[in-house]
Amino acid sequence: MDSIQNVRTFLLAARLGSFAAAARALAVAPSVVSKRIGQLEHEFRIPLFHRSTRELRLTVEANRLLPRFQKLLADFDEIRDDDQKQELRGHLRVDAPGTVTSRILGPVFCEFLALHPGIDMDLRLNDRLQGSVDQGCDLIIGTRPSTYEGIHDYPLMPYTCATFASATYIAAQGRPEHPRDLSDHDCLVSLLYGTLWHFYGEEGDFAVSVSPRLSVNDTVVLCEAVSQGLGIAVLPTILVEAAVAEGRLHPILPLFRPPPMWLKALVPTQSAAKPAVQALLQFLRDKLAPNIQPAATFPLPTAA
């Protein structure tokens, strides 16, 4: 039973003096108006109208309640309208990886703030290495598979990875044909990805332990090291497309793919119910879901 709807129907019938007129104004059948009035009479245990074939008159009890019903409905409509007009407000602290934010998430965060002028954001770029998350943040963007107590994980977007080297390195050191060949090569490691590299292909799955010449937690630096011929690295394809197009990086081991990584939002329990957090989370999902990456394919380079 919708009491507010019944009160609204009663006031309209009282003002128009007819159930039929109220039904036309509400675009419903007269029987619906009669049913709503009956529900209201049952709820308050009083008759509201004297009905006859010629007129519809309010009862004494209805006349007594009429101004209170009018105030009730006016207050309800005001509260509803204010709530609908109220813009999101608040302060958000967000932690996100620097490279991913500069290449992918930066424009998304800016667009969100443009749509919600009542929200302020403290955006911290941090390629985190520690085994925990900052509970002082409202939302953390991460790529680690780890889960944490008191943190809700929301997958946003998978992105593919591949193995890359420069033409200079390939010319000097040769091209590995199989993951097991990596033990004879210089490997450059993202601390996020680790020193145990996993590959899958038609021959099965492989796990290769590499001894890194360089370990770094920044993809830009890692990409530069590969470009300068220092070694081989596993990199997210979405972040190195320009370097591949420019010929600074070349994909290798095309028959063996590292597993894709997931970009996800981590939300501490104490922040999960905040309207601004929920709005940002939904915005990220809407914006990133269409960008889900299929497995990238690159033409095989020739050694320079």
Side-chain angles (χ1 to χ4, degrees):
M1 181 187 301
D2 188 335
S3 298
I4 292 294
Q5 185 182 61
N6 293 343
V7 169
R8 192 182 303 279
T9 302
F10 160 72
L11 292 175
L12 192 58
R15 180 166 60 85
L16 298 178
S18 164
F19 281 15
R24 287 192 296 271
L26 294 170
V28 298
S31 60
V32 173
V33 172
S34 181
K35 179 180 178 181
R36 292 175 182 174
I37 298 299
Q39 288 175 341
L40 197 61
E41 289 177 329
H42 176 76
E43 187 174 6
F44 284 85
R45 295 182 175 84
I46 57 170
L48 295 173
F49 291 102
H50 295 296
R51 301 172 178 84
S52 71
T53 57
R54 294 178 10 183
E55 63 177 349
L56 188 69
R57 291 185 299 108
L58 291 175
T59 64
V60 173
E61 295 89 344
N63 271 307
R64 177 175 52 84
L65 289 175
L66 184 65
R68 300 177 68 182
F69 278 155
Q70 289 171 332
K71 184 178 186 306
L72 171 68
L73 192 59
D75 290 343
F76 176 85
D77 287 343
E78 181 181 357
I79 294 170
R80 181 199 60 195
D81 293 341
D82 285 348
D83 186 67
Q84 289 176 349
K85 293 175 184 176
Q86 183 177 6
E87 65 179 19
L88 285 172
R89 293 187 176 276
H91 180 84
L92 292 177
R93 180 179 168 188
V94 177
D95 271 19
T99 307
V100 172
T101 301
S102 63
R103 300 289 181 86
I104 302 173
L105 296 177
V108 178
F109 287 134
C110 291
E111 185 177 352
F112 176 80
L113 290 174
L115 289 173
H116 301 286
I119 293 179
D120 300 324
M121 182 182 295
D122 180 6
L123 177 60
R124 306 290 181 91
L125 303 188
N126 178 16
D127 290 297
R128 60 183 62 253
L129 303 178
Q130 65 269 28
S132 62
V133 298
D134 187 348
Q135 293 279 351
C137 290
D138 294 303
L139 186 145
I140 304 100
I141 301 296
T143 53
R144 285 185 174 227
S146 309
T147 57
Y148 305 94
E149 185 177 356
I151 302 291
H152 302 279
D153 284 22
Y154 300 93
L156 298 175
M157 183 186 79
Y159 54 91
T160 58
C161 296
T163 316
F164 295 89
S166 70
T168 302
Y169 180 88
I170 294 171
Q173 305 294 334
R175 182 198 307 276
E177 301 296 336
H178 193 279
R180 69 172 70 95
D181 299 336
L182 291 170
S183 61
D184 298 323
H185 286 268
D186 294 327
C187 294
L188 313 177
V189 171
S190 162
L191 296 186
L192 184 64
Y193 202 88
T195 58
L196 187 64
W197 291 3
H198 294 269
F199 297 88
Y200 59 92
E202 292 183 359
E203 297 181 21
D205 299 343
F206 300 88
V208 180
S209 180
V210 299
S211 299
R213 184 181 180 196
L214 171 68
S215 297
V216 63
N217 68 319
D218 184 86
T219 305
V220 173
V221 175
L222 191 62
C223 178
E224 182 62 27
V226 178
S227 299
Q228 293 193 24
L230 297 183
I232 296 169
V234 174
L235 296 166
T237 58
I238 194 172
L239 300 181
V240 298
E241 291 173 341
V244 172
E246 295 166 3
R248 293 187 290 112
L249 297 183
H250 296 267
I252 59 177
L253 297 174
L255 300 181
F256 302 92
R257 287 285 174 187
M261 299 182 72
W262 270 91
L263 197 65
K264 61 182 181 177
L266 310 174
V267 181
T269 300
Q270 65 268 24
S271 298
K274 291 183 178 180
V277 172
Q278 288 297 317
L280 176 58
L281 181 60
Q282 188 60 53
F283 192 78
L284 288 168
R285 285 171 154 176
D286 292 343
K287 287 294 180 180
L288 297 181
N291 296 322
I292 289 179
Q293 298 278 304
T297 57
F298 298 101
L300 287 176
T302 56

